[in-house]
Amino acid sequence: MMDITLVWFAIIGLGVLLYVVLDGFDLGIGILFPFIRAKAERDTMMNTVAPVWDGNETWMVLGGAGLFAAFPLAYATILSALYMPITLMALALIFRGVSFEFRFKMSRLQKCWDYAFMWGSILSAFFQGVVLGAVIQGIKTTEGIFSGETFDWLTPFTVLTGIGVVVMYATLGCAWLIYKTTDHLQQKMYRAMPKILMMLLGIFALVLIASVWVQPSIVERWFVASHRIYFGLLVIITLFMFGLIFRAVQQQKERQPFIYTILLLLVAFISLLLSIFPYIIPPSIDIWQAAAPRSSQVFTLIGALIFIPMIIAYSLFSYWVFRGKVRVGDSGYH
């Protein structure tokens, strides 16, 4: 008999991965905004994602709805433990979304909406990283119910993972702009990419070391004899992907930096899953303990199998329609 719990875990994992990739690079554009001063270039940066950014966030809704439907215990526990950073992230996303509409229509207050776009992007990325770090370090529970303190989520480790996600999204945004823009703006991104990559490499190393420190189960998982080869292989692949990105930027390739950055993110995501699986709330609640009844999972799975292909088709169609370069001075989101 098929394990529906594993299927739902894979669906939610897919939704989270697609959200991080797709919304990651448009959040990254906002993170890079402070380093670009020219109004025309900022307009161009926003125009590269304006037709698709709202569709990208569909995957966050899918992940949250899937967690509620398939793993209600995890949904209740995670929201109880992390309601504050999740609320702050949602508020930041709201300000960022509103800035898309108002920035082009309220010229007198455009600088204010620039700041809303910048800080909405930075803070939403940061708090997503904080939530990730809080899950990795573990949530205190008693008989499946959150029993920790209000600010358990705020630790040096979660701040580090928050900064790490900000830098990761900036890397995605920079690679996206290399792919989508031309001329002077593209050259700025070529020059910025190696610096951002060096920051990302350093943060990856710090997060890896800190993860072993804050979550002993990761040590048990990665450093037992049977798993060392997988750990070593993932480290080698990660370093190899960094090398590919550096080389593609030096050769001023346009598509490869973005493709390789997505692959780097995929490797990091796989490493995360291998580090915590089968736990959905480390270190005590696994996916089967948190799962809804099988009948509920089957019922909601039918809806997921209908709507997920539709969302994928819509996303692919949107990116196909708005393919091609966006140049400074092009008419865009008005």
PDB file of all heavy atoms in Angstrom, residues 61-94:
ATOM      1  N   VAL A  61       1.450  29.441  -0.546  1.00  0.00           N
ATOM      2  CA  VAL A  61       0.082  29.086  -0.138  1.00  0.00           C
ATOM      3  C   VAL A  61      -0.095  27.569  -0.204  1.00  0.00           C
ATOM      4  O   VAL A  61      -0.683  26.964   0.711  1.00  0.00           O
ATOM      5  CB  VAL A  61      -0.942  29.797  -1.038  1.00  0.00           C
ATOM      6  CG1 VAL A  61      -2.357  29.373  -0.666  1.00  0.00           C
ATOM      7  CG2 VAL A  61      -0.794  31.311  -0.932  1.00  0.00           C
ATOM      8  N   LEU A  62       0.426  26.956  -1.258  1.00  0.00           N
ATOM      9  CA  LEU A  62       0.325  25.498  -1.391  1.00  0.00           C
ATOM     10  C   LEU A  62       1.025  24.799  -0.231  1.00  0.00           C
ATOM     11  O   LEU A  62       0.485  23.855   0.361  1.00  0.00           O
ATOM     12  CB  LEU A  62       0.933  25.045  -2.719  1.00  0.00           C
ATOM     13  CG  LEU A  62       1.031  23.521  -2.909  1.00  0.00           C
ATOM     14  CD1 LEU A  62      -0.352  22.906  -3.026  1.00  0.00           C
ATOM     15  CD2 LEU A  62       1.877  23.187  -4.138  1.00  0.00           C
ATOM     16  N   GLY A  63       2.230  25.270   0.114  1.00  0.00           N
ATOM     17  CA  GLY A  63       2.962  24.649   1.212  1.00  0.00           C
ATOM     18  C   GLY A  63       2.220  24.763   2.530  1.00  0.00           C
ATOM     19  O   GLY A  63       2.110  23.784   3.285  1.00  0.00           O
ATOM     20  N   GLY A  64       1.687  25.957   2.818  1.00  0.00           N
ATOM     21  CA  GLY A  64       0.947  26.146   4.065  1.00  0.00           C
ATOM     22  C   GLY A  64      -0.330  25.348   4.110  1.00  0.00           C
ATOM     23  O   GLY A  64      -0.657  24.709   5.129  1.00  0.00           O
ATOM     24  N   ALA A  65      -1.084  25.358   2.995  1.00  0.00           N
ATOM     25  CA  ALA A  65      -2.334  24.599   2.939  1.00  0.00           C
ATOM     26  C   ALA A  65      -2.074  23.095   3.020  1.00  0.00           C
ATOM     27  O   ALA A  65      -2.822  22.353   3.677  1.00  0.00           O
ATOM     28  CB  ALA A  65      -3.091  24.935   1.656  1.00  0.00           C
ATOM     29  N   GLY A  66      -1.007  22.648   2.354  1.00  0.00           N
ATOM     30  CA  GLY A  66      -0.664  21.221   2.408  1.00  0.00           C
ATOM     31  C   GLY A  66      -0.269  20.795   3.805  1.00  0.00           C
ATOM     32  O   GLY A  66      -0.640  19.702   4.262  1.00  0.00           O
ATOM     33  N   LEU A  67       0.474  21.653   4.510  1.00  0.00           N
ATOM     34  CA  LEU A  67       0.856  21.335   5.880  1.00  0.00           C
ATOM     35  C   LEU A  67      -0.375  21.228   6.778  1.00  0.00           C
ATOM     36  O   LEU A  67      -0.488  20.318   7.606  1.00  0.00           O
ATOM     37  CB  LEU A  67       1.799  22.416   6.415  1.00  0.00           C
ATOM     38  CG  LEU A  67       2.472  22.130   7.764  1.00  0.00           C
ATOM     39  CD1 LEU A  67       3.440  20.956   7.640  1.00  0.00           C
ATOM     40  CD2 LEU A  67       3.203  23.362   8.271  1.00  0.00           C
ATOM     41  N   PHE A  68      -1.329  22.144   6.602  1.00  0.00           N
ATOM     42  CA  PHE A  68      -2.562  22.119   7.390  1.00  0.00           C
ATOM     43  C   PHE A  68      -3.383  20.865   7.093  1.00  0.00           C
ATOM     44  O   PHE A  68      -3.943  20.238   8.001  1.00  0.00           O
ATOM     45  CB  PHE A  68      -3.390  23.361   7.087  1.00  0.00           C
ATOM     46  CG  PHE A  68      -4.731  23.387   7.760  1.00  0.00           C
ATOM     47  CD1 PHE A  68      -4.840  23.639   9.122  1.00  0.00           C
ATOM     48  CD2 PHE A  68      -5.896  23.151   7.037  1.00  0.00           C
ATOM     49  CE1 PHE A  68      -6.079  23.655   9.755  1.00  0.00           C
ATOM     50  CE2 PHE A  68      -7.142  23.165   7.653  1.00  0.00           C
ATOM     51  CZ  PHE A  68      -7.227  23.420   9.021  1.00  0.00           C
ATOM     52  N   ALA A  69      -3.448  20.487   5.812  1.00  0.00           N
ATOM     53  CA  ALA A  69      -4.288  19.357   5.416  1.00  0.00           C
ATOM     54  C   ALA A  69      -3.676  18.016   5.792  1.00  0.00           C
ATOM     55  O   ALA A  69      -4.381  17.111   6.261  1.00  0.00           O
ATOM     56  CB  ALA A  69      -4.543  19.408   3.908  1.00  0.00           C
ATOM     57  N   ALA A  70      -2.371  17.879   5.583  1.00  0.00           N
ATOM     58  CA  ALA A  70      -1.739  16.570   5.732  1.00  0.00           C
ATOM     59  C   ALA A  70      -1.046  16.375   7.076  1.00  0.00           C
ATOM     60  O   ALA A  70      -0.936  15.246   7.555  1.00  0.00           O
ATOM     61  CB  ALA A  70      -0.722  16.357   4.604  1.00  0.00           C
ATOM     62  N   PHE A  71      -0.589  17.463   7.701  1.00  0.00           N
ATOM     63  CA  PHE A  71       0.142  17.355   8.961  1.00  0.00           C
ATOM     64  C   PHE A  71      -0.383  18.400   9.955  1.00  0.00           C
ATOM     65  O   PHE A  71       0.321  19.349  10.312  1.00  0.00           O
ATOM     66  CB  PHE A  71       1.643  17.554   8.727  1.00  0.00           C
ATOM     67  CG  PHE A  71       2.239  16.596   7.732  1.00  0.00           C
ATOM     68  CD1 PHE A  71       2.481  16.989   6.419  1.00  0.00           C
ATOM     69  CD2 PHE A  71       2.529  15.290   8.098  1.00  0.00           C
ATOM     70  CE1 PHE A  71       3.023  16.116   5.503  1.00  0.00           C
ATOM     71  CE2 PHE A  71       3.077  14.399   7.181  1.00  0.00           C
ATOM     72  CZ  PHE A  71       3.315  14.802   5.880  1.00  0.00           C
ATOM     73  N   PRO A  72      -1.635  18.265  10.395  1.00  0.00           N
ATOM     74  CA  PRO A  72      -2.235  19.289  11.247  1.00  0.00           C
ATOM     75  C   PRO A  72      -1.500  19.499  12.567  1.00  0.00           C
ATOM     76  O   PRO A  72      -1.449  20.616  13.078  1.00  0.00           O
ATOM     77  CB  PRO A  72      -3.660  18.769  11.472  1.00  0.00           C
ATOM     78  CG  PRO A  72      -3.601  17.301  11.173  1.00  0.00           C
ATOM     79  CD  PRO A  72      -2.569  17.150  10.115  1.00  0.00           C
ATOM     80  N   LEU A  73      -0.925  18.433  13.116  1.00  0.00           N
ATOM     81  CA  LEU A  73      -0.175  18.584  14.360  1.00  0.00           C
ATOM     82  C   LEU A  73       1.046  19.479  14.155  1.00  0.00           C
ATOM     83  O   LEU A  73       1.331  20.371  14.968  1.00  0.00           O
ATOM     84  CB  LEU A  73       0.266  17.215  14.883  1.00  0.00           C
ATOM     85  CG  LEU A  73       1.138  17.219  16.141  1.00  0.00           C
ATOM     86  CD1 LEU A  73       0.390  17.840  17.314  1.00  0.00           C
ATOM     87  CD2 LEU A  73       1.606  15.810  16.478  1.00  0.00           C
ATOM     88  N   ALA A  74       1.756  19.258  13.042  1.00  0.00           N
ATOM     89  CA  ALA A  74       2.918  20.088  12.737  1.00  0.00           C
ATOM     90  C   ALA A  74       2.497  21.523  12.475  1.00  0.00           C
ATOM     91  O   ALA A  74       3.162  22.478  12.906  1.00  0.00           O
ATOM     92  CB  ALA A  74       3.660  19.523  11.527  1.00  0.00           C
ATOM     93  N   TYR A  75       1.394  21.701  11.751  1.00  0.00           N
ATOM     94  CA  TYR A  75       0.878  23.042  11.451  1.00  0.00           C
ATOM     95  C   TYR A  75       0.585  23.795  12.740  1.00  0.00           C
ATOM     96  O   TYR A  75       1.014  24.951  12.919  1.00  0.00           O
ATOM     97  CB  TYR A  75      -0.384  22.909  10.604  1.00  0.00           C
ATOM     98  CG  TYR A  75      -1.012  24.218  10.179  1.00  0.00           C
ATOM     99  CD1 TYR A  75      -0.620  24.848   9.000  1.00  0.00           C
ATOM    100  CD2 TYR A  75      -2.006  24.817  10.950  1.00  0.00           C
ATOM    101  CE1 TYR A  75      -1.198  26.043   8.606  1.00  0.00           C
ATOM    102  CE2 TYR A  75      -2.591  26.013  10.564  1.00  0.00           C
ATOM    103  CZ  TYR A  75      -2.185  26.614   9.390  1.00  0.00           C
ATOM    104  OH  TYR A  75      -2.762  27.811   9.009  1.00  0.00           O
ATOM    105  N   ALA A  76      -0.130  23.149  13.672  1.00  0.00           N
ATOM    106  CA  ALA A  76      -0.497  23.813  14.922  1.00  0.00           C
ATOM    107  C   ALA A  76       0.725  24.110  15.777  1.00  0.00           C
ATOM    108  O   ALA A  76       0.848  25.197  16.361  1.00  0.00           O
ATOM    109  CB  ALA A  76      -1.482  22.938  15.696  1.00  0.00           C
ATOM    110  N   THR A  77       1.662  23.183  15.833  1.00  0.00           N
ATOM    111  CA  THR A  77       2.842  23.353  16.680  1.00  0.00           C
ATOM    112  C   THR A  77       3.767  24.433  16.129  1.00  0.00           C
ATOM    113  O   THR A  77       4.250  25.303  16.863  1.00  0.00           O
ATOM    114  CB  THR A  77       3.606  22.026  16.809  1.00  0.00           C
ATOM    115  OG1 THR A  77       2.719  21.027  17.329  1.00  0.00           O
ATOM    116  CG2 THR A  77       4.802  22.173  17.718  1.00  0.00           C
ATOM    117  N   ILE A  78       4.019  24.386  14.816  1.00  0.00           N
ATOM    118  CA  ILE A  78       4.930  25.361  14.207  1.00  0.00           C
ATOM    119  C   ILE A  78       4.359  26.765  14.299  1.00  0.00           C
ATOM    120  O   ILE A  78       5.066  27.726  14.623  1.00  0.00           O
ATOM    121  CB  ILE A  78       5.224  24.966  12.744  1.00  0.00           C
ATOM    122  CG1 ILE A  78       6.083  23.694  12.702  1.00  0.00           C
ATOM    123  CG2 ILE A  78       5.922  26.099  12.006  1.00  0.00           C
ATOM    124  CD1 ILE A  78       6.264  23.121  11.323  1.00  0.00           C
ATOM    125  N   LEU A  79       3.060  26.922  14.031  1.00  0.00           N
ATOM    126  CA  LEU A  79       2.468  28.257  14.126  1.00  0.00           C
ATOM    127  C   LEU A  79       2.429  28.761  15.562  1.00  0.00           C
ATOM    128  O   LEU A  79       2.604  29.961  15.798  1.00  0.00           O
ATOM    129  CB  LEU A  79       1.071  28.274  13.510  1.00  0.00           C
ATOM    130  CG  LEU A  79       1.028  28.809  12.066  1.00  0.00           C
ATOM    131  CD1 LEU A  79       1.743  27.851  11.125  1.00  0.00           C
ATOM    132  CD2 LEU A  79      -0.389  29.044  11.605  1.00  0.00           C
ATOM    133  N   SER A  80       2.211  27.873  16.513  1.00  0.00           N
ATOM    134  CA  SER A  80       2.225  28.286  17.919  1.00  0.00           C
ATOM    135  C   SER A  80       3.613  28.760  18.330  1.00  0.00           C
ATOM    136  O   SER A  80       3.755  29.757  19.053  1.00  0.00           O
ATOM    137  CB  SER A  80       1.783  27.134  18.817  1.00  0.00           C
ATOM    138  OG  SER A  80       0.458  26.753  18.542  1.00  0.00           O
ATOM    139  N   ALA A  81       4.638  28.042  17.875  1.00  0.00           N
ATOM    140  CA  ALA A  81       6.005  28.381  18.265  1.00  0.00           C
ATOM    141  C   ALA A  81       6.549  29.582  17.508  1.00  0.00           C
ATOM    142  O   ALA A  81       7.356  30.349  18.039  1.00  0.00           O
ATOM    143  CB  ALA A  81       6.915  27.173  18.042  1.00  0.00           C
ATOM    144  N   LEU A  82       6.085  29.775  16.276  1.00  0.00           N
ATOM    145  CA  LEU A  82       6.720  30.761  15.385  1.00  0.00           C
ATOM    146  C   LEU A  82       5.733  31.799  14.870  1.00  0.00           C
ATOM    147  O   LEU A  82       5.945  32.375  13.800  1.00  0.00           O
ATOM    148  CB  LEU A  82       7.369  30.029  14.200  1.00  0.00           C
ATOM    149  CG  LEU A  82       8.377  28.930  14.563  1.00  0.00           C
ATOM    150  CD1 LEU A  82       8.859  28.218  13.309  1.00  0.00           C
ATOM    151  CD2 LEU A  82       9.559  29.509  15.331  1.00  0.00           C
ATOM    152  N   TYR A  83       4.662  32.041  15.603  1.00  0.00           N
ATOM    153  CA  TYR A  83       3.656  32.983  15.105  1.00  0.00           C
ATOM    154  C   TYR A  83       4.224  34.377  14.920  1.00  0.00           C
ATOM    155  O   TYR A  83       3.824  35.107  14.000  1.00  0.00           O
ATOM    156  CB  TYR A  83       2.448  33.030  16.039  1.00  0.00           C
ATOM    157  CG  TYR A  83       2.687  33.682  17.376  1.00  0.00           C
ATOM    158  CD1 TYR A  83       2.487  35.041  17.553  1.00  0.00           C
ATOM    159  CD2 TYR A  83       3.110  32.924  18.463  1.00  0.00           C
ATOM    160  CE1 TYR A  83       2.718  35.640  18.786  1.00  0.00           C
ATOM    161  CE2 TYR A  83       3.339  33.524  19.690  1.00  0.00           C
ATOM    162  CZ  TYR A  83       3.142  34.881  19.850  1.00  0.00           C
ATOM    163  OH  TYR A  83       3.376  35.467  21.057  1.00  0.00           O
ATOM    164  N   MET A  84       5.192  34.772  15.762  1.00  0.00           N
ATOM    165  CA  MET A  84       5.728  36.124  15.657  1.00  0.00           C
ATOM    166  C   MET A  84       6.575  36.317  14.393  1.00  0.00           C
ATOM    167  O   MET A  84       6.307  37.239  13.611  1.00  0.00           O
ATOM    168  CB  MET A  84       6.527  36.492  16.904  1.00  0.00           C
ATOM    169  CG  MET A  84       6.903  37.970  16.969  1.00  0.00           C
ATOM    170  SD  MET A  84       7.714  38.417  18.514  1.00  0.00           S
ATOM    171  CE  MET A  84       6.356  38.155  19.679  1.00  0.00           C
ATOM    172  N   PRO A  85       7.596  35.491  14.123  1.00  0.00           N
ATOM    173  CA  PRO A  85       8.348  35.680  12.879  1.00  0.00           C
ATOM    174  C   PRO A  85       7.512  35.447  11.628  1.00  0.00           C
ATOM    175  O   PRO A  85       7.722  36.110  10.606  1.00  0.00           O
ATOM    176  CB  PRO A  85       9.494  34.662  12.983  1.00  0.00           C
ATOM    177  CG  PRO A  85       9.039  33.662  13.976  1.00  0.00           C
ATOM    178  CD  PRO A  85       8.178  34.418  14.947  1.00  0.00           C
ATOM    179  N   ILE A  86       6.540  34.523  11.691  1.00  0.00           N
ATOM    180  CA  ILE A  86       5.681  34.290  10.529  1.00  0.00           C
ATOM    181  C   ILE A  86       4.799  35.513  10.260  1.00  0.00           C
ATOM    182  O   ILE A  86       4.609  35.920   9.116  1.00  0.00           O
ATOM    183  CB  ILE A  86       4.830  33.024  10.727  1.00  0.00           C
ATOM    184  CG1 ILE A  86       5.722  31.777  10.680  1.00  0.00           C
ATOM    185  CG2 ILE A  86       3.738  32.927   9.660  1.00  0.00           C
ATOM    186  CD1 ILE A  86       5.014  30.486  11.038  1.00  0.00           C
ATOM    187  N   THR A  87       4.272  36.124  11.322  1.00  0.00           N
ATOM    188  CA  THR A  87       3.460  37.339  11.158  1.00  0.00           C
ATOM    189  C   THR A  87       4.290  38.480  10.604  1.00  0.00           C
ATOM    190  O   THR A  87       3.857  39.209   9.691  1.00  0.00           O
ATOM    191  CB  THR A  87       2.842  37.743  12.506  1.00  0.00           C
ATOM    192  OG1 THR A  87       1.999  36.686  12.980  1.00  0.00           O
ATOM    193  CG2 THR A  87       2.014  39.014  12.362  1.00  0.00           C
ATOM    194  N   LEU A  88       5.497  38.656  11.120  1.00  0.00           N
ATOM    195  CA  LEU A  88       6.380  39.717  10.627  1.00  0.00           C
ATOM    196  C   LEU A  88       6.749  39.479   9.158  1.00  0.00           C
ATOM    197  O   LEU A  88       6.817  40.428   8.370  1.00  0.00           O
ATOM    198  CB  LEU A  88       7.637  39.800  11.491  1.00  0.00           C
ATOM    199  CG  LEU A  88       7.406  40.289  12.932  1.00  0.00           C
ATOM    200  CD1 LEU A  88       8.676  40.128  13.759  1.00  0.00           C
ATOM    201  CD2 LEU A  88       6.942  41.741  12.943  1.00  0.00           C
ATOM    202  N   MET A  89       6.969  38.215   8.798  1.00  0.00           N
ATOM    203  CA  MET A  89       7.250  37.895   7.407  1.00  0.00           C
ATOM    204  C   MET A  89       6.063  38.250   6.520  1.00  0.00           C
ATOM    205  O   MET A  89       6.224  38.839   5.442  1.00  0.00           O
ATOM    206  CB  MET A  89       7.564  36.407   7.271  1.00  0.00           C
ATOM    207  CG  MET A  89       7.821  35.956   5.839  1.00  0.00           C
ATOM    208  SD  MET A  89       7.731  34.163   5.641  1.00  0.00           S
ATOM    209  CE  MET A  89       5.980  33.869   5.834  1.00  0.00           C
ATOM    210  N   ALA A  90       4.846  37.904   6.967  1.00  0.00           N
ATOM    211  CA  ALA A  90       3.647  38.201   6.185  1.00  0.00           C
ATOM    212  C   ALA A  90       3.460  39.709   6.004  1.00  0.00           C
ATOM    213  O   ALA A  90       3.112  40.183   4.913  1.00  0.00           O
ATOM    214  CB  ALA A  90       2.416  37.584   6.848  1.00  0.00           C
ATOM    215  N   LEU A  91       3.690  40.479   7.058  1.00  0.00           N
ATOM    216  CA  LEU A  91       3.567  41.941   6.954  1.00  0.00           C
ATOM    217  C   LEU A  91       4.585  42.501   5.971  1.00  0.00           C
ATOM    218  O   LEU A  91       4.268  43.402   5.173  1.00  0.00           O
ATOM    219  CB  LEU A  91       3.758  42.572   8.332  1.00  0.00           C
ATOM    220  CG  LEU A  91       2.621  42.352   9.337  1.00  0.00           C
ATOM    221  CD1 LEU A  91       3.022  42.862  10.717  1.00  0.00           C
ATOM    222  CD2 LEU A  91       1.341  43.045   8.870  1.00  0.00           C
ATOM    223  N   ALA A  92       5.796  41.975   6.007  1.00  0.00           N
ATOM    224  CA  ALA A  92       6.827  42.438   5.068  1.00  0.00           C
ATOM    225  C   ALA A  92       6.432  42.120   3.627  1.00  0.00           C
ATOM    226  O   ALA A  92       6.620  42.937   2.720  1.00  0.00           O
ATOM    227  CB  ALA A  92       8.169  41.800   5.412  1.00  0.00           C
ATOM    228  N   LEU A  93       5.866  40.928   3.412  1.00  0.00           N
ATOM    229  CA  LEU A  93       5.420  40.562   2.067  1.00  0.00           C
ATOM    230  C   LEU A  93       4.283  41.456   1.587  1.00  0.00           C
ATOM    231  O   LEU A  93       4.203  41.793   0.397  1.00  0.00           O
ATOM    232  CB  LEU A  93       4.978  39.093   2.046  1.00  0.00           C
ATOM    233  CG  LEU A  93       6.092  38.045   2.101  1.00  0.00           C
ATOM    234  CD1 LEU A  93       5.508  36.651   2.278  1.00  0.00           C
ATOM    235  CD2 LEU A  93       6.964  38.097   0.843  1.00  0.00           C
ATOM    236  N   ILE A  94       3.412  41.864   2.508  1.00  0.00           N
ATOM    237  CA  ILE A  94       2.308  42.759   2.143  1.00  0.00           C
ATOM    238  C   ILE A  94       2.847  44.104   1.683  1.00  0.00           C
ATOM    239  O   ILE A  94       2.460  44.633   0.631  1.00  0.00           O
ATOM    240  CB  ILE A  94       1.342  42.925   3.329  1.00  0.00           C
ATOM    241  CG1 ILE A  94       0.560  41.633   3.560  1.00  0.00           C
ATOM    242  CG2 ILE A  94       0.374  44.086   3.079  1.00  0.00           C
ATOM    243  CD1 ILE A  94      -0.224  41.618   4.854  1.00  0.00           C
TER     244      ILE A  94
END
